[in-house]
Every structure is written in structure tokens, then in C-alpha cells.
Amino acid sequence: MKSRLLILSIFLLLPLAACNRSVPPAEFEPNRVFAYVSEVKIEYPMQQALIEAQVALGEYFGTPDQPKLPGFLDTDPSTLVDLKNLEAASGDPQQAGRGLYRKHCVACHGITGNGRGVNATQGDVYPRDFRMGKFKFKSTARGAKPLRDDLFRTIRNGIAGTSMARINELSDADVQSLVDYVIYLSWRGDVERRLLLAAEEIEFESEDQESLRNLYAPGTKLFEEQQVVLVKDSITEVADEWLSSTESIKEIPAAGDIPVEATLEELLAAASSSQPSPLKASLDRGRELFVSETASCAKCHGPLGHGDGQNQDYDDWTKEWTKNINIDPTDDQQILPFQVRGAMPPRQIKPRDLREGIYRGGADPKNLYHRIANGIEGTPMPAAEGVLQPQDIWHLVNYVRSLATPTSNPTTGESKL
């Protein structure tokens, strides 16, 4: 009887012990893949650079549990990222008013925002690695940072055809907090990359190894002046790119006389009419452009838009550590050193089968105009602006939408961005 009571008491105490057990603090994972790419290219050891870059980033950006913002910027950092929003998005979701990112995003995007969460390999599309600073679905020019509104729409509505679904329980304020946290992770990760790129020019090596263990202890001089300047300049440069994104907005010209139906149902109904119409003329012109050498849409999407054209390419997140140093992404032996450092298994990028009517950047005509005109950042899809006239891009928008079949796409044309 006593032994049974003892066993019972142990089981009853186990949950209490688990609750009282201290949870280890979350840490940002160093970008070992990017560091190794640099090491291979410049033949310079990067381990010390990785360590000291983490120290510098910790000083100015804090930790996943206690984020902070650089205090030396000429511009108030709150104009880019609000610290209260960071606090709401960061930390343990078990704490009141904290943990939005860890609750809703970390399983795919990872603590560091490196796209390596526990569920990262489960979908057809890898979660975004924010550290490169590239975002696919935006209203700014290729090479520019997205607007806050672009990130807000992506988080608010999810991305059609992927595992990133709309989360209805998020309030608009929650979404704004997550927008700030994504910018914060991208800002921090982009700075890390710049520090690693400069490792050969500015030697990241501390003679006093004890200073690395006693980080920022009173009187500790961890970095040389040249290194401090590099860190602060990198932080400022990335911040300026985000703050100036509004200068790169790509305005959508009016369609003019070209009819652009608000919903897919209206477009398909008009297209099926036996009578000649401006819309049918637009579709004919769009079809002509689609297969032309000028627009080159058929090169990847196939002549009928079935996604069966060229499909041997990769996105920029893979090319950065394969193409840039002549690594064959299909060679298991060549990619192994990068995978053990955190690289995702290379996957060839699949052109969209337009019959499905699934538009990851949004289903309404204006979103499609952006995708065609500006291209899709980080992918092989180039920008048509400068190659095609605006009216021709509108013709392509009409034609691409007309390829969707009613059975596979019941969408009303509302944005699914």
C-alpha cells in the first residue's frame, strides 16, 4: 500500500516539477551556411567572425526573448520597428502579451527567421528565410524592400497554395506586431551577412579570448574601432533601405480602354461569349504575348500555361550557396557540407500551372499586374516592365486569369495575397 502511494505521489509531482523547471533562453542561430560560402570563396576562416558577429548583434538587437533596437541611429528606430510590437511578437507565448511569433510562425520560419523551423520541409514550398532581405510579393521595385502594407497583407491573408494559411484569431494589431518582428529579423540577419562579407577586409579576431566569455563586462574592449564602425554602418545601411522603400513603389497604370473584370467569373463568362468584344481582343493579344520571345512566359509556364516549361532552375536562396561557388545542387557529396551547416535540401522551383488559378501573390488583377511587371523577387521570374508596354501587361493579366478553370478555382477574384 505504501509503495502504491509513493508511486502515485511521484506521478502527481511530475507535472509540478515540469512547471518549475527553468526554460533555457532562446538564442539566434548563427548563419553558418553563409559563413561557409564566404569561407570557400575567399579561403579565409570564418569561425571567429561568426562568434564576434553574434556578439555584436546581441549588443544591438538583443535576444529572441528580450529584443532591442540600436540606439545610435540618426533616425528614431521606432519609425521602422516599434519596440512594443517586438515585445508582443517575441518571447514565450505562455507569458501574457508575448510570443505571437513563436506561437504562429516559428514552427516554419524558425527562431532566427532562417526558414528552418521544425515543419519547414513538410510543404512543397520552403518557408521564407528572412535574413537575405528578399520578399517575393510586394509593390516595390525588384531589389527594394517591401512596404509594411505588403507584409501586412501577406500575414493577414496567408499565401494561397502553401501551408501559410490565414490565421483568423490574429487581430490587426497582432499582425502589425508580426510585421515589425519580420522586419526586425530581416534587419538583424541582413546585418549579419554584411559583417561576414567584410570578415576578410576587417579581421574579426580578438586577442583577448576572455573578453568573449565576459561579454561587455565593465572595461572590456571587445571590438577595435574599425570593427565598431563596420557594425554601425551595416546596421544603418539596412535600416535606410527599409525606410526608403516607399521611394520604390511601383504604381499601377490604369488599364484605359482594356476591360479588366473584377471577378474571375465575370471574365470567364465574357470570354466564353460567341460575340466579338474588347475583352476577347485583349485575350487574343495576351495569348500572342504569352508565347512570344519578348514576354517569354511560355519558356517556364509552357505554351498553354500548364507549368510544363523549363523547370530546372532554383530560387536565389539556393543559388546563393550553389551557383555562386559552382556547387552542383544534385550532387549529394557536394551539398553535404552545406546541409550539415543548415542548408535546406535543394528543390527545383516549379513554375505555376495557371489552370489551377492559385496566385500566391494575390488573385486580384492589380496583384497580378505587379507580379508580371515587377517579376518575383528571389525567383527566376523576371520583370516585364521596360520590356512590355503597360497595356500589354494588362493584356497578359487578362489572359493569365482566363487560363484558370472554374472547377479548380472557385475564387471570386478577391485578394489572397
Side-chain angles (χ1 to χ4, degrees), residues 30-79:
N31 196 337
R32 295 185 179 89
V33 175
F34 188 75
Y36 190 60
V37 170
S38 299
E39 185 170 313
V40 171
K41 289 177 69 175
I42 66 180
E43 299 181 348
Y44 182 85
M46 297 295 291
Q47 183 58 32
Q48 189 67 24
L50 266 177
I51 294 171
E52 294 198 15
Q54 289 301 300
V55 173
L57 293 167
E59 171 70 3
Y60 293 111
F61 290 97
T63 70
D65 292 320
Q66 298 298 328
K68 57 183 178 179
L69 297 173
F72 61 82
L73 298 174
D74 292 336
T75 305
D76 183 352
S78 66
T79 60

Side-chain angles (χ1 to χ4, degrees), residues 87-381:
E87 290 172 352
S90 65
D92 186 347
Q94 299 301 319
Q95 297 180 28
R98 302 292 305 278
L100 286 170
Y101 179 81
R102 222 167 291 179
K103 180 179 180 181
H104 298 290
C105 313
V106 77
C108 292
H109 291 285
I111 286 283
T112 307
N114 56 11
R116 291 185 58 239
V118 295
N119 297 334
T121 60
Q122 293 185 8
D124 291 336
V125 181
Y126 286 143
R128 182 64 45 243
D129 178 348
F130 303 130
R131 298 171 301 175
M132 191 183 286
K134 291 186 178 182
F135 294 83
K136 289 182 177 180
F137 308 123
K138 57 196 182 75
S139 52
T140 55
R142 203 179 185 103
K145 303 298 186 190
L147 304 177
R148 289 187 60 89
D149 286 349
D150 295 327
L151 298 178
F152 183 92
R153 285 194 299 271
T154 299
I155 298 171
R156 172 77 286 169
N157 298 328
I159 300 179
T162 75
S163 59
M164 184 170 169
R166 176 186 175 94
I167 303 173
N168 291 323
E169 69 181 84
L170 291 174
S171 68
D172 284 354
D174 291 338
V175 175
Q176 291 290 1
S177 293
L178 288 172
V179 168
D180 276 349
Y181 200 69
V182 168
I183 294 173
Y184 162 81
L185 291 175
S186 181
W187 184 7
R188 181 193 179 281
D190 203 342
V191 170
E192 179 184 21
R193 291 161 55 88
R194 296 178 193 222
L195 298 183
L196 295 175
L197 279 174
E200 184 183 30
E201 299 175 13
I202 298 181
E203 196 169 337
F204 272 85
E205 292 185 0
S206 172
E207 295 179 2
D208 180 10
Q209 292 300 307
E210 186 65 25
S211 65
L212 286 173
R213 290 188 287 272
N214 300 317
L215 305 182
Y216 301 102
T220 297
K221 183 182 179 183
L222 181 59
F223 296 113
E224 298 298 328
E225 181 177 352
Q226 192 179 18
Q227 293 173 313
V228 173
V229 170
L230 168 66
V231 173
K232 290 188 175 182
D233 284 351
S234 298
I235 290 172
T236 302
E237 288 168 4
V238 179
D240 287 344
E241 289 177 8
W242 279 97
L243 291 169
S244 63
S245 63
T246 54
E247 300 171 9
S248 300
I249 296 174
K250 305 298 290 186
E251 301 293 346
I252 299 178
D257 295 335
I258 301 171
V260 179
E261 303 294 346
T263 69
L264 184 61
E265 285 79 7
E266 291 172 318
L267 181 144
L268 294 177
S272 64
S273 171
S274 60
Q275 300 299 317
S277 69
L279 176 61
K280 297 190 76 171
S282 174
L283 295 177
D284 289 340
R285 175 57 179 160
R287 183 183 301 105
E288 177 185 333
L289 288 163
F290 190 87
V291 298
S292 71
E293 289 293 328
T294 304
S296 294
C297 305
K299 177 182 177 182
C300 294
H301 291 284
L304 300 177
H306 295 179
D308 55 354
Q310 187 281 125
N311 61 358
Q312 305 299 310
D313 210 342
Y314 298 84
D315 64 23
D316 288 2
W317 288 267
T318 298
K319 287 179 180 177
E320 181 174 66
W321 61 271
T322 55
K323 184 176 180 180
N324 286 354
I325 52 176
N326 297 318
I327 296 295
D328 181 355
T330 65
D331 187 322
D332 292 341
Q333 292 301 314
Q334 289 191 46
I335 68 174
L336 182 60
F338 298 89
Q339 286 191 272
V340 298
R341 288 169 172 83
M344 302 293 279
R347 288 179 178 174
Q348 291 172 341
I349 195 164
K350 297 178 181 178
R352 179 70 50 245
D353 181 346
L354 299 172
R355 293 173 298 178
E356 296 174 352
I358 297 175
Y359 312 110
R360 290 175 180 162
D364 66 65
K366 289 184 177 180
N367 283 330
L368 292 175
Y369 187 100
H370 267 309
R371 300 293 80 76
I372 297 172
N374 302 338
I376 299 181
E377 188 93 6
T379 78
M381 183 166 170

